[in-house]
Structure formats: structure tokens, C-alpha cells
Amino acid sequence: MTTLLNPFVDVVNQINGFPELPKGRYFNGLTPELHERYRVKKVKLYITLQKALQEVDKILEPDEKIVNMMPVTNENGSNAATSGVMGMYAAKTATAADYIKEQDSLRDNRLMIFTDRRMIFFVMIEFIDDPTVYYSYYYDRIPVLKLKKHRESIPADNNRPWRRNVLHWYTLDFQTTDKRVFTEILNVENAELFKRNLLMIPNMAKIEISDSVFRGTKFDYIFSNINFGIRANYVIFIGMGIVLGISLIIYLLTHFL
């Protein structure tokens, strides 16, 4: 249920103290009614997020400090687990039901909180319903972290295919020593924030950065590695195509020659 009027990134950046990002020509061309709808959603989301952060304070250990936060949405990250059947969610509390109505969002909005000791990650709707539903990744339990930049050239104009736009995004992937796996797609802004934290947060700076997925065991590499699964499915698909092609040729040769 992602919409182009999702204020989540703006609200998180506001709390971080970051400047508001430009929204582009589409947003500036919206009707006054849609601009007002966006403003109301933004105000309500700010209040909701502040209440969520009060619950986060209860999670923090003594003297643990929040450094900043990274907003992840279907627009700037992966939507593999937030759309279709995977994205369905039934609110358990009135607060969560109100959030769904106000923000037109089920599992679209996710938040990564960077403290001086760990990353705390949760899906907003789940955390609003139950503040015990979150994931914790301590920096000293992450031996290797994949942060790889990708580049894709796409047509800028269908009538002029030689005109191209270049898209950039990053893959973030790691496994902790206690077997917790995290995989996400980051846009350039979130990747830059992540890289800054790698330099700013002392415990985070000790993590080895790689272009490859790291898993503690071969079993984990096979069964908890999305990239490996995609490559394996591709190989299987090509293999099946070759087998079917050879079978068709044999059938034609034996029946018509």
C-alpha cells in the first residue's frame, strides 16, 4: 500500500536534524488538496514516531545512546517482504489501526536505529502493535558486512533509446555470530548515512567491509543467502530450458526424419 505521499523519510530526517530532501517535479505538481493531505500525514506520523521512540528508550541499555536513524521504505529499499501476501498485516491494537488509516501503510515503513553499540531494526506497524517485536544487531557480533554499490543504465526516453539514465543502489547484508541475518537494498542517501556511521561509531568501525556475502557456515551460505538463491534459480531455469530444448530436438529427429 505504498503511496507517493509517504512522509516517513522526511519525518525521520527531521528528527535526525538532517535537511529535507528535494521531492522533485511530481510532488511540486500536486494539487493543493494532496499537499494538505501530505502535511496532515506528516504531522500525525511525527507524533506516532515520537511515541515509538519513547518505547525504544525502554529497550536501550544503561548509558546506550542513539546516534541517528535510517528510514527504509518501499520507495528507497526492497519491497520483497512488504508487498503481496508477505506484506499483509492485521492490526491488533486501535493505535496500529489508526496508523494504517492515517499513513496508508502496512509494512512499508521500516526503521533502522543506530546506537553506539548496535543496530535496532523494526517494522513500524509491528512495533506500534507490540514494542517487543524488533531485531537487535550488536556491532561486535558482525565480523563481516557486505555493502556493495550497483549501477544500472535505463532508457530516459522510450522514443530515444540512446538517452540513458544511470541508477545507483547498494546491497546491505550481514550475519551476526549469533546467526541473525539482515539483507536490504539501500538507495544512495541511506548508503551514505550507513557509510558515515561506519566512520563515526567506534564499535561499528571495527567491522570488515566486503563486496561479497559472508556466512559462518556453508549451510547458512546456501539457505540464508538471497543472492545465492537468485543465482541458483537462474542456473536451474537455464538448465531446464536446455533440457527442454534438447528433448524437443530429439523428438523432432525421431518422429519427422
Side-chain angles (χ1 to χ4, degrees):
M1 295 174 62
T2 298
T3 74
L4 292 174
L5 295 175
N6 186 356
F8 188 63
V9 173
D10 280 352
V11 172
V12 174
N13 285 340
Q14 179 181 346
I15 295 174
N16 274 334
F18 298 162
E20 186 170 326
L21 297 174
K23 296 182 179 59
R25 289 180 297 174
Y26 175 84
F27 186 88
N28 293 331
L30 294 178
T31 64
E33 291 77 12
L34 287 176
H35 275 285
E36 176 61 15
R37 180 185 172 194
Y38 179 85
R39 187 193 68 80
V40 172
K41 289 176 66 173
K42 186 175 179 181
V43 170
K44 291 182 177 179
L45 183 58
Y46 182 87
I47 295 171
T48 300
L49 192 52
Q50 289 289 357
K51 291 179 180 178
L53 291 176
Q54 291 176 5
E55 296 297 329
V56 172
D57 285 338
K58 301 174 184 178
I59 298 171
L60 299 180
E61 299 171 351
D63 299 324
E64 185 177 9
K65 306 295 183 183
I66 293 177
V67 178
N68 51 47
M69 301 178 293
M70 184 176 74
V72 183
T73 69
N74 283 7
E75 294 91 348
N76 69 10
S78 169
N79 63 5
T82 62
S83 299
V85 175
M86 294 294 290
M88 297 180 69
Y89 187 86
K92 302 178 183 67
T93 64
T95 303
D98 289 342
Y99 167 82
I100 293 174
K101 293 177 183 177
E102 293 167 358
Q103 303 304 324
D104 302 319
S105 173
L106 291 177
R107 296 172 54 85
D108 304 340
N109 294 335
R110 292 93 75 193
L111 189 64
M112 176 75 83
I113 298 175
F114 298 88
T115 79
D116 54 352
R117 303 175 192 181
R118 56 178 163 163
M119 290 174 271
I120 299 172
F121 181 81
F122 56 78
V123 179
M124 277 293 296
I125 184 64
E126 293 180 347
F127 192 77
I128 291 170
D129 247 346
D130 183 356
T132 66
V133 180
Y134 65 91
Y135 303 90
S136 182
Y137 309 100
Y138 284 86
Y139 304 132
D140 59 4
R141 298 176 189 173
I142 305 175
V144 182
L145 179 149
K146 175 183 178 181
L147 185 62
K148 183 177 181 179
K149 187 175 184 179
H150 304 273
R151 179 183 184 275
E152 181 179 1
S153 176
I154 62 172
D157 186 342
N158 291 332
N159 297 321
R160 299 178 178 85
W162 59 88
R163 293 187 177 181
R164 315 288 290 182
N165 284 335
V166 178
L167 299 179
H168 294 96
W169 74 94
Y170 289 74
T171 301
L172 171 62
D173 183 283
F174 59 82
Q175 182 186 45
T176 64
T177 53
D178 51 352
K179 302 296 184 179
R180 298 174 184 269
V181 174
F182 183 87
T183 302
E184 185 56 85
I185 301 298
L186 305 182
N187 67 351
V188 173
E189 289 79 12
N190 276 351
E192 291 300 323
L193 172 61
F194 198 92
K195 288 189 284 187
R196 284 202 305 272
N197 286 340
L198 286 169
L199 297 174
M200 290 171 45
I201 302 174
N203 288 330
M204 201 174 182
K206 299 174 183 178
I207 302 172
E208 178 184 344
I209 308 302
S210 172
D211 280 344
S212 302
V213 169
F214 171 83
R215 295 291 184 266
T217 65
K218 290 182 179 179
F219 180 88
D220 289 340
Y221 185 84
I222 294 173
F223 292 102
S224 67
N225 181 354
I226 292 176
N227 294 322
F228 179 83
I230 293 173
R231 289 196 297 268
N233 287 332
Y234 178 77
V235 171
I236 292 171
F237 178 78
I238 295 298
M240 290 177 63
I242 293 172
V243 170
L244 289 174
I246 293 173
S247 300
L248 178 61
I249 292 172
I250 293 173
Y251 176 82
L252 294 175
L253 290 174
T254 56
H255 288 75
F256 297 99
L257 295 179

